[in-house]
Structures are given as structure tokens and as C-alpha cells.
Amino acid sequence: MNTHNHHQNTSANPTDLLDMKAAVVSGKGADFEIRSLKIRQPKGDEVLVKIVATGICHTDVSARNQYYPVPLPVVLGHEGAGIVQAVGSEVKDLKVGDHVILTYGYCGHCEECYTGKQPFCVESYERNFGGCDTDGSHAIFDEQNNPINDHFFSQSSFATLAIARESNAIKVPDNAPIELLGPLGCGIQTGAGTVMNALEVTPASSFAVWGAGSVGLSGLLGAKLLGASTIIAVDIVDSRLELAKELGATHVINSKKQDPVEAIREITGGGVKFALETTGIPAILTQGVNALGRLGKIAVVGAPPMGTPAEFDVNDLLIYGKSIIGNVQARTTPKKFIADLVDLYLKGDFPFDKLVKYYDFKDINQAVADSHSGVTLKPILKIADAAL
Ligand code: NAD
């Protein structure tokens, strides 16, 4: 039963529009520009969220650069975390004041959603990259009331206020550090969830991660949680390999300095059992497949531009029984998995805070540059208290 009807405001009447600030991308590859905009109130199953902080993921940058074409001008941001400000009339389980992590959008009524595989929802592309709601409408407007493309990952959370749906807003305990948790909505759940739910790493096995960035290192944390005993990190940046060791890597390989395929074969006595590709570079996927042992599995989450092919020897796959598994997000129900990751973090078993560096919202372009150059693994923009 909905007990908070007095908070509802189902109208999209322009007089109800709320003032907000958001980072707008107006051209392919252009800088983010913080602008004064307006957002409508939530309706139906929507919630309006005051954004406390939002992580920056490579997918935001890929969308800005149009590797993933999204209509412009657009408000990006898809690792938002904040506090519910208002709820629509159909919202059942969330109320004003709840702390929430925002994740990707899904329809909830296709075969994949019914079977707990929400990342593969049939409406995934339109709900996450469409630039508007599924009915073509917008929630964000400029000062002349012209719509701005929004609903990026059903949230557009590079903003002080965001509209999400109840289904993609995950309630977290009030005592959890909400400013830290946004990246669990995408990058961090992708690394850990792919290892835990797609690769299903087994105890005492060997695991290699290609790319020790935020997705790769959260995958490494997942492999450690599942009990892999040989954990290998491959990267070209020594500081990232040092952090990988701190987080549990038993071996690190700088692939600029040694052949990673030979090194992995030597460490594992023939080839690794489980692997995760996070660089998005097709030649690295080829190395990843080559470094697998018999019945080895590699999951691919690193994302190159659309249409990028990769090479492998077909007979190598069949003679050794190797598997290549594509994946997005955590391959499971986000409401449960993200809540589980919060719980593991609070117990000290999933220290993803070691990957994070905070930036003020106004420094968004610096944060993107630092992430690109490798200075910062996972930037989080502090939005609620930002000086704008
Ligand atoms: P990142 O830049 O932090 O990590 C990539 C890492 O690869 C870096 O540490 C980099 O030094 C390393 N690298 C680059 N070239 C290399 C090489 N030749 N050999 C070895 N390592 C090399 O990025 P991230 O935030 O961890 O994201 C990784 C990828 O995952 C991106 O492509 C992103 O778009 C994608 N992603 C996919 C999903 C999904 O659901 N599939 C979700 C989030 C992110």
C-alpha cells in the first residue's frame, strides 16, 4: 500500500518545474558545461532524487564522444546516489528521505527481466541511451522550456536533481556513506557481477584480469571473494598494478615490459581458468583468449566503438573447449546484487573505496581528463554540496 500520497505530484505542468543545475554535452566530444535547467516532478512509478554524488564511468565518455550515439544536447551521468525528494503515484516501496543508488533502466516485463537477467532487457538500448523516456517525452528543460535530451540510463545524474524509476533506484541503509555508493550502480557492479554471475569463478582456481581500472579491479575483488587462489592483474600502468597487489593480486604483469600470454601460461602451468577483459582493445581480447587454459572462460566487458571486430583461432576454441562470454552490468537482478555489494562493503569484504577519488561537480572536465590519463581510477563528483 502506498502510504505517502501526500508527497505525490503527478503533474508535468511547466509551472511545476523545479530549478536545477546539470552538466550538459552539446557537441560530439565537447566539454561538459554546467547550466541552469529545470526538471519536472515525478509521475507514475518515478522518483525525484536529490543527487548527493555521481561516479564517472567510461560509458559517459563513450556517449559524449558518440561511440555510443546518444542525441545531443544531453545530460549524461549514470552512477548517481542521493536522497528521494518526491515520488509518483504508483511508487510502492520508496518514500521521501530514502537513500538510493541509481542503476540502469529495464522494463521489468520481458523474458530477460522475468528471469533475473535485467541487463539484457529487450528495451535496454532505448531506456538507457534513447535520450528521452520510452514514450518520447523529456523530464529536463532549458530556461526557454525547450526539452534537453535526458533519461540517460534512466537517470541523467550529472545534475543536482534527477528523475529515475522505482525499479532502478536501490534503497540503501541510512548509515551507509551515500556519497561513495553511486559507482555500485554501474562500473563496480559490472566488474564484480561479471566475475561472480557470468564467469562463476570457483574456489582455489586461477583468474586473470586484463586492465586494472575500476571495472577490472572490482572484478578482482569479486574473484577474491569467491576464493580464487591465483589472481593475476595485467595492465600497462605500474601504479594500477601496485593497487591490484594491495587488493589481492598474487601476480601482476606490465604487458609493456613482458609478454603477458607467456607470463600467464608460466604462472598457471598452461593457461588460466577464468579471465575478464576490461580494456576494450580487441588485440587484448585476442591475448586473453590465447592465455586461457583448457575449458577456460573469458568474459568481455571492455567496450570499443560499435562495429569493432576481434580475432581468435576457431580451432583453439574448440580443441581446448574455451568460452568467450559477453556481458553488461552484473548479469543479475540489480535490486538484490547492489544491496549485497553495499552489505559486503559495510562488512569490510569489498573495499572498492580504495579506487575512488572525489571531485567537486564544477571540476567535471578535470575529473574526466584525470580518468582518461590514468591519474584517477574512479572519479566521483560531489554534487549536493558543490559550489556552483
Ligand atoms: P579504465 O580506463 O579505468 O580501465 C581500463 C584499464 O585498461 C586501464 O587501467 C588501462 O591502463 C588498461 N589498459 C589500457 N591498455 C592496455 C593494454 N594494452 N594492456 C593492458 N591494460 C591496458 O576503465 P574502466 O572504468 O575500468 O572501464 C573499462 C571498460 O569497461 C570501458 O571500456 C567501459 O566502457 C567498459 N564498461 C562496460 C560495462 C558493461 O556493462 N559491459 C560497464 C561499465 C564499463
Side-chain angles (χ1 to χ4, degrees):
M1 194 177 81
N2 190 338
T3 55
H4 34 271
N5 283 332
H6 55 289
H7 294 302
Q8 289 164 17
N9 185 340
T10 55
S11 164
N13 181 328
T15 57
D16 286 344
L17 295 176
L18 303 165
D19 289 334
M20 52 93 100
K21 301 233 172 173
V24 180
V25 171
S26 299
K28 178 180 175 178
D31 274 356
F32 292 88
E33 186 196 350
I34 296 184
R35 287 176 52 187
S36 294
L37 300 173
K38 297 171 185 179
I39 192 165
R40 66 162 170 75
Q41 294 278 0
K43 56 186 181 180
D45 62 346
E46 293 173 342
V47 291
L48 178 73
V49 178
K50 179 185 177 191
I51 299 295
V52 172
T54 302
I56 298 178
C57 171
H58 275 256
T59 308
D60 293 305
V61 182
S62 299
R64 178 192 72 169
N65 296 344
Q66 300 281 292
Y67 288 180
Y68 290 152
V70 290
L72 301 172
V74 67
V75 177
L76 301 171
H78 67 286
E79 291 185 343
I83 301 166
V84 175
Q85 294 290 288
V87 297
S89 59
E90 293 161 25
V91 170
K92 294 190 180 69
D93 297 330
L94 291 175
K95 60 182 189 312
V96 171
D98 281 348
H99 291 196
V100 289
I101 299 172
L102 304 182
T103 190
Y104 59 90
Y106 54 93
C107 75
H109 49 72
C110 67
E111 181 180 336
E112 285 69 25
C113 286
Y114 280 144
T115 54
K117 298 287 182 281
Q118 287 83 351
F120 300 97
C121 169
V122 287
E123 293 182 4
S124 182
Y125 202 85
E126 58 190 283
R127 282 178 182 262
N128 295 299
F129 295 94
C132 57
D133 203 350
T134 46
D135 63 2
S137 68
H138 295 265
I140 300 179
F141 303 86
D142 69 11
E143 285 180 316
Q144 288 74 45
N145 286 343
N146 298 313
I148 300 280
N149 293 297
D150 59 10
H151 281 81
F152 188 63
F153 278 74
S154 291
Q155 56 181 282
S156 289
S157 54
F158 288 155
T160 54
L161 291 171
I163 294 243
R165 291 202 140 83
E166 182 170 28
S167 56
N168 73 314
I170 286 81
K171 184 168 158 38
V172 296
D174 287 355
N175 67 342
I178 191 68
E179 70 281 359
L180 170 68
L181 302 181
L184 294 177
C186 179
I188 306 295
Q189 72 156 329
T190 295
T194 301
V195 165
M196 297 166 92
N197 307 316
L199 285 176
E200 299 179 307
V201 163
T202 50
S205 62
S206 55
F207 167 80
V209 64
W210 296 84
S214 59
V215 174
L217 291 177
S218 45
L220 185 153
L221 290 175
K224 197 178 158 207
L225 269 172
L226 295 190
S229 53
T230 302
I231 299 180
I232 306 163
V234 185
D235 206 291
I236 49 174
V237 179
D238 282 329
S239 59
R240 294 191 167 205
L241 294 172
E242 281 307 310
L243 181 58
K245 270 196 216 161
E246 200 187 309
L247 295 175
T250 55
H251 302 77
V252 295
I253 298 167
N254 184 326
S255 57
K256 271 191 171 164
K257 297 180 185 162
Q258 63 184 131
D259 179 338
V261 177
E262 269 177 29
I264 288 175
R265 285 190 182 141
E266 199 173 312
I267 293 164
T268 55
V272 71
K273 188 84 177 169
F274 300 102
L276 177 66
E277 182 347 81
T278 75
T279 70
I281 301 168
I284 305 295
L285 175 57
T286 302
Q287 290 183 331
V289 173
N290 290 342
L292 291 175
R294 288 168 194 277
L295 297 170
K297 295 183 193 175
I298 185 165
V300 187
V301 292
M306 292 289 186
T308 305
E311 279 184 16
F312 52 84
D313 177 342
V314 177
N315 281 305
D316 177 51
L317 284 196
L318 51 98
I319 292 167
Y320 297 104
K322 298 179 179 182
S323 309
I324 304 173
I325 308 167
N327 195 47
V328 287
Q329 304 292 345
R331 214 184 184 86
T332 189
T333 307
K335 287 256 176 190
K336 166 91 172 103
F337 190 69
I338 293 174
D340 286 352
L341 289 181
V342 173
D343 196 38
L344 286 165
Y345 168 74
L346 291 175
K347 288 177 176 147
D349 294 330
F350 190 70
F352 77 98
D353 55 316
K354 299 235 168 76
L355 313 181
V356 161
K357 182 173 170 194
Y358 289 103
Y359 291 79
D360 194 274
F361 190 19
K362 69 176 165 32
D363 299 324
I364 181 169
N365 292 305
Q366 188 63 48
V368 169
D370 286 357
S371 151
H372 185 68
S373 69
V375 170
T376 302
L377 262 135
K378 170 54 76 178
I380 295 183
L381 300 169
K382 285 201 168 189
I383 294 182
D385 302 322
L388 298 173

